[in-house]
Amino acid sequence: MTKQQRRKPGETRERLMNAALALVGEGRHFSSLGIRELTRKAGVVPTAFYRHFRHMDDLGLQLVDELGLALRRVMREARANVGQSEKLIDESVAIFINHARDNRNVFLFMAQGLAGESRAVHEGVRSEMRFFTMELANDLRRLRLVDHLSDADMEITCDLVVRTVAFSLTDLLGVSPEDDYQIQQIEQRTARFLKLIFIGAEHWKSRDR
Amino acid sequence: MTKQQRRKPGETRERLMNAALALVGEGRHFSSLGIRELTRKAGVVPTAFYRHFRHMDDLGLQLVDELGLALRRVMREARANVGQSEKLIDESVAIFINHARDNRNVFLFMAQGLAGESRAVHEGVRSEMRFFTMELANDLRRLRLVDHLSDADMEITCDLVVRTVAFSLTDLLGVSPEDDYQIQQIEQRTARFLKLIFIGAEHWKSRDR
DNA sequence: TGTACATCAGTGAACGCGCGTTCACTGATGTAC
DNA sequence: TGTACATCAGTGAACGCGCGTTCACTGATGTAC
């Protein structure tokens, strides 16, 4: 205990990031967190913060990058396991909501970033969303579920899907993580939104523009 | 100048609220604002804050209530002036986006509330959205544009519309108020989202659930 | 394999500052008779 | 219409505290030869 530097390399950095997520999970907004508050939560001396980040925005940005990376990996795997049946939407939504539930703090942080103070974090979240939109479009092409749409129309459709799911995250914000009933409601509602969108896409003709 | 209490009744309160909106308009997040900072911006002595609000959350809540009231009035008028043509969506979106542009700070504040720190503000914004959803459903019934949907399905559709428009507000967040081109892009994109949704609603059958 | 040195990450003390909040005050406005 | 009093809204001084940030330090780890 008396010796310094007993932690593994990178551990302090990780602890700080986790502390930020934990505070967000407790209902705080990222932009209102302070450095001392964060280091206290992380069990680390205040000065240690500066060894890894220049300021809070810096931490937020790095958080977005790392979380985005992890998230993409998870969703790719999830999508690979989805059968090609009509249950596609329900399954995908269920996977996503479950993942959001297991990583509640992460998604709350992302949701905050949508309208957050830091331009950098905002951009980061947007860029993740764009990425999801692209991957979704690729998947739909691959599964040949929506063949008649132009590339631009496909992009619009997928963008709307991603937005809708993202908005559902903010629904989760107001609900206790243990409230299974409410969470299931959100899940069902989200699935219906998506079905509505896909029915729209099915009947969409370019002249409708 | 030397005399106290030269302001009109309620003026200090209004100045504080406007100062909050102004700071949000400058890119700050509401939850990171301080009382002293606010009173400074409002040109008012710090203690004056406590004459009108108990704490920042209190101010936020009152802000939501007042803005919501004003907003509903505006949208009701706007909707009354929309022709019944196929241009319905485009016109409504244009009215909304223009209004958002004219009252940028107000809408940014609302958008922040979607994922904000204050439970009260969050609830307030949600409740406004629910109200919009209901009014929209009434309008659609009245115009007999969507006759075949059950009440529940109608509600889902309108909810999705309101969410989509709300999300567009966060798009506006990252764009300069003078960037006409970008704003027009957001407007067009939003209109297409809504068309997609309405085409979906048109072909929606209850068995699709 | 051993030695010398540079780099890295964690520490505790210290700084000055702005913060939220309280207090007792003052004068204007509203109310009762 | 006039007077007495209560309420309201704005003020400046003061408080103690936690904040962000700097500094010089220490020991562990990595690198060169």
Side-chain angles (χ1 to χ4, degrees):
Chain A
M1 296 304 208
T2 58
K3 289 288 170 55
Q4 299 174 324
Q5 203 149 348
R6 312 233 0 241
R7 301 199 210 283
K8 290 181 220 137
E11 195 193 336
T12 300
R13 181 169 173 279
E14 199 181 336
R15 285 171 80 111
L16 286 167
M17 284 175 146
N18 285 334
L21 289 178
L23 285 165
V24 166
E26 288 168 19
R28 303 289 312 283
H29 195 283
F30 181 76
S31 70
S32 74
L33 302 181
I35 288 176
R36 285 189 110 100
E37 178 183 23
L38 201 64
T39 54
R40 208 182 304 123
K41 182 91 178 178
V44 147
V45 102
T47 38
F49 178 88
Y50 296 97
R51 292 279 173 232
H52 303 275
F53 312 101
R54 278 169 304 156
H55 38 246
M56 285 298 286
D57 257 24
D58 193 16
L59 185 147
L61 188 55
Q62 294 193 36
L63 215 38
V64 168
D65 285 346
E66 290 201 7
L67 297 179
L69 209 64
L71 192 56
R72 284 181 218 169
R73 206 178 315 122
V74 168
M75 285 310 289
R76 200 169 307 137
E77 283 175 25
R79 236 180 341 234
N81 294 331
V82 165
Q84 305 201 12
S85 67
E86 300 82 39
K87 292 285 178 196
L88 183 76
I89 291 176
D90 289 303
E91 285 184 33
S92 303
V93 170
I95 288 174
F96 189 81
I97 297 275
N98 271 329
H99 186 65
R101 194 183 204 168
D102 295 341
N103 303 75
R104 191 163 195 272
N105 304 351
V106 172
F107 284 81
L108 293 191
F109 170 74
M110 293 284 205
Q112 287 186 356
L114 282 175
E117 181 163 344
S118 156
R119 172 71 60 117
V121 172
H122 183 74
E123 289 297 323
V125 175
R126 289 283 158 168
S127 137
E128 288 303 320
M129 284 181 60
R130 246 175 281 129
F131 195 89
F132 277 124
T133 304
M134 280 171 45
E135 292 227 318
L136 179 57
N138 285 340
D139 273 20
L140 292 184
R141 285 261 182 254
R142 185 165 51 74
L143 297 177
R144 312 200 69 87
L145 285 176
V146 203
D147 256 350
H148 67 294
L149 290 184
S150 70
D151 282 352
D153 291 340
M154 178 65 111
E155 197 267 337
I156 293 261
T157 305
C158 293
D159 189 9
L160 183 54
V161 168
V162 170
R163 283 161 180 255
T164 301
V165 174
F167 207 108
S168 293
L169 290 179
T170 72
D171 295 338
L172 245 33
L173 239 85
V175 168
S176 148
E178 286 88 27
D179 193 340
D180 288 328
Y181 174 74
Q182 288 256 49
I183 291 178
Q184 202 195 335
Q185 288 293 107
I186 292 172
E187 190 174 319
Q188 282 181 9
R189 188 162 259 264
T190 306
R192 278 197 212 164
F193 287 150
L194 299 197
K195 276 176 208 164
L196 192 54
I197 295 170
F198 280 120
I199 292 176
E202 205 179 310
H203 294 87
W204 177 278
K205 315 239 163 42
S206 28
R207 63 164 172 77
D208 288 329
R209 300 184 152 219
Chain B
M1 296 303 211
T2 58
K3 291 286 169 58
Q4 300 173 324
Q5 203 146 347
R6 312 235 359 242
R7 302 198 210 283
K8 291 181 218 138
E11 194 193 336
T12 300
R13 180 169 174 280
E14 199 181 336
R15 285 171 78 112
L16 285 167
M17 286 175 146
N18 286 335
L21 289 178
L23 285 166
V24 165
E26 289 169 18
R28 302 289 312 281
H29 195 283
F30 181 76
S31 70
S32 75
L33 301 182
I35 288 177
R36 285 190 110 101
E37 176 184 23
L38 201 62
T39 53
R40 208 182 304 124
K41 183 90 179 179
V44 149
V45 102
T47 37
F49 178 89
Y50 296 95
R51 291 282 173 227
H52 304 274
F53 311 102
R54 278 170 303 156
H55 38 245
M56 285 298 286
D57 257 23
D58 193 15
L59 185 146
L61 189 54
Q62 294 193 37
L63 215 39
V64 168
D65 285 345
E66 291 201 5
L67 297 179
L69 209 64
L71 192 57
R72 284 182 219 167
R73 207 178 315 122
V74 168
M75 285 310 288
R76 201 170 307 136
E77 284 175 24
R79 235 178 343 233
N81 294 330
V82 165
Q84 304 201 14
S85 67
E86 300 82 39
K87 291 286 177 193
L88 183 76
I89 292 176
D90 290 302
E91 283 184 34
S92 302
V93 170
I95 289 173
F96 189 81
I97 297 274
N98 270 329
H99 186 65
R101 193 184 205 168
D102 294 342
N103 302 75
R104 191 163 195 269
N105 304 350
V106 172
F107 284 81
L108 293 191
F109 170 74
M110 293 284 204
Q112 288 186 355
L114 283 175
E117 181 163 344
S118 156
R119 174 69 62 117
V121 171
H122 183 74
E123 288 298 324
V125 174
R126 289 282 157 169
S127 137
E128 288 304 320
M129 284 180 60
R130 246 175 281 129
F131 195 88
F132 277 125
T133 303
M134 281 172 43
E135 292 229 316
L136 179 57
N138 285 340
D139 272 20
L140 292 184
R141 285 260 181 256
R142 184 164 52 75
L143 297 176
R144 312 199 69 86
L145 286 176
V146 201
D147 256 350
H148 66 294
L149 290 184
S150 72
D151 281 353
D153 290 341
M154 178 66 110
E155 198 267 337
I156 293 261
T157 305
C158 293
D159 189 10
L160 183 53
V161 168
V162 170
R163 283 162 180 256
T164 301
V165 173
F167 207 109
S168 293
L169 290 178
T170 72
D171 295 338
L172 245 33
L173 240 84
V175 167
S176 149
E178 286 87 26
D179 194 340
D180 289 327
Y181 175 75
Q182 289 255 49
I183 291 177
Q184 202 196 335
Q185 289 293 107
I186 292 172
E187 192 174 317
Q188 283 182 8
R189 188 161 260 262
T190 305
R192 279 199 211 164
F193 287 150
L194 299 196
K195 277 176 207 165
L196 192 55
I197 295 170
F198 281 119
I199 292 178
E202 204 179 311
H203 294 88
W204 176 279
K205 316 234 163 45
S206 28
R207 63 164 170 77
D208 289 329
R209 300 182 153 222

